[in-house]
């Protein structure tokens, strides 16, 4: 897994922001930094829904600290847009159906019992305006959510 002070891997991937066809390029978004990249296994699942709703509930605090939040998963942009709409989420998502982003960030896991080889591991990276990882966290247990206070503190320090 990537660690604090590592250079964040640059990537371009579909953006799920309510429309279809837009792209997210990390290098082009550094003016929005600090960026919170919140990787999660799958839209519409219970823990992931809770996590994204917690980011939504705290969105004002993150924005007050100057941060921009992006959810990241291997779900299609169509599924992520439906998830955003159903849950009333006001931040955008990065769709990684080809698994390039999760692999670049070494944030993958599988659900062997379900026959799923690779999804996004539950992980959070805070990327500063110099493309440096200011905070890195990942859980081996998909049922464990991040320490939101620690993420917010990292944003304020970035």
């Amino acid at each position: 897994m990537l660690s604090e002070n590592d250079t964040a891997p640059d990537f371009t991937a579909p953006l799920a922001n309510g429309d279809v066809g837009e792209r997210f390029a990390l290098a082009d978004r550094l003016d929005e930094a600090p960026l919170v990249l919140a990787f999660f296994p799958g839209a519409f699942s219970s823990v992931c829904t809770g996590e994204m709703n917690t980011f939504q509930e705290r969105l004002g605090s993150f924005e007050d600290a100057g941060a921009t939040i992006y959810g990241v998963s291997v779900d299609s942009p169509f599924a992520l847009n439906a998830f955003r709409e159903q849950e009333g989420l006001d931040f955008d998502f990065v769709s990684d159906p080809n698994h390039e982003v999760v692999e670049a960030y070494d944030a993958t896991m599988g659900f062997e019992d379900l026959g799923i080889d690779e999804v996004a591991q539950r992980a959070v990276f805070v990327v500063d305006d110099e493309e440096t990882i200011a905070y890195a966290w990942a859980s081996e247990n998909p049922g464990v959510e991040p320490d939101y206070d620690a993420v917010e503190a990292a944003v304020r320090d970035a």
Side-chain angles (χ1 to χ4, degrees):
M1 183 178 114
L2 296 171
S3 301
E4 292 175 17
N5 299 315
D6 286 346
T7 298
D10 193 16
F11 63 88
T12 300
L15 181 67
N17 63 355
D19 294 322
V20 176
E22 289 192 52
R23 310 277 295 165
F24 174 100
L26 183 69
D28 294 342
R29 301 289 175 145
L30 295 177
D31 61 333
E32 301 174 1
L35 301 171
V36 176
L37 302 178
F39 289 68
F40 64 100
F44 301 104
S45 62
S46 61
V47 178
C48 298
T49 298
E51 178 186 11
M52 294 301 113
N53 278 303
T54 301
F55 276 116
Q56 176 65 38
E57 291 164 11
R58 297 179 72 139
L59 187 59
S61 294
F62 281 101
E63 289 174 342
D64 288 348
T68 307
I69 297 174
Y70 289 95
V72 181
S73 85
V74 300
D75 292 305
S76 75
F78 308 104
L80 291 172
N81 279 332
F83 182 56
R84 284 181 75 246
E85 184 176 331
Q86 177 177 303
E87 295 302 318
L89 302 171
D90 295 323
F91 53 93
D92 297 339
F93 289 82
V94 174
S95 173
D96 184 28
N98 297 323
H99 303 210
E100 294 169 359
V101 179
V102 295
E103 289 175 3
Y105 280 75
D106 194 23
T108 63
M109 61 176 290
F111 291 101
E112 197 172 293
D113 293 350
L114 299 174
I116 299 172
D117 293 333
E118 187 175 80
V119 295
Q121 180 179 22
R122 192 171 317 285
V124 177
F125 299 94
V126 174
V127 180
D128 70 16
D129 60 354
E130 295 180 2
E131 210 166 326
T132 301
I133 295 174
Y135 175 84
W137 171 87
S139 176
E140 295 297 323
N141 179 343
V144 174
E145 293 184 39
D147 179 338
Y148 300 99
D149 291 333
V151 176
E152 188 174 332
V155 161
R156 292 188 185 281
D157 291 341

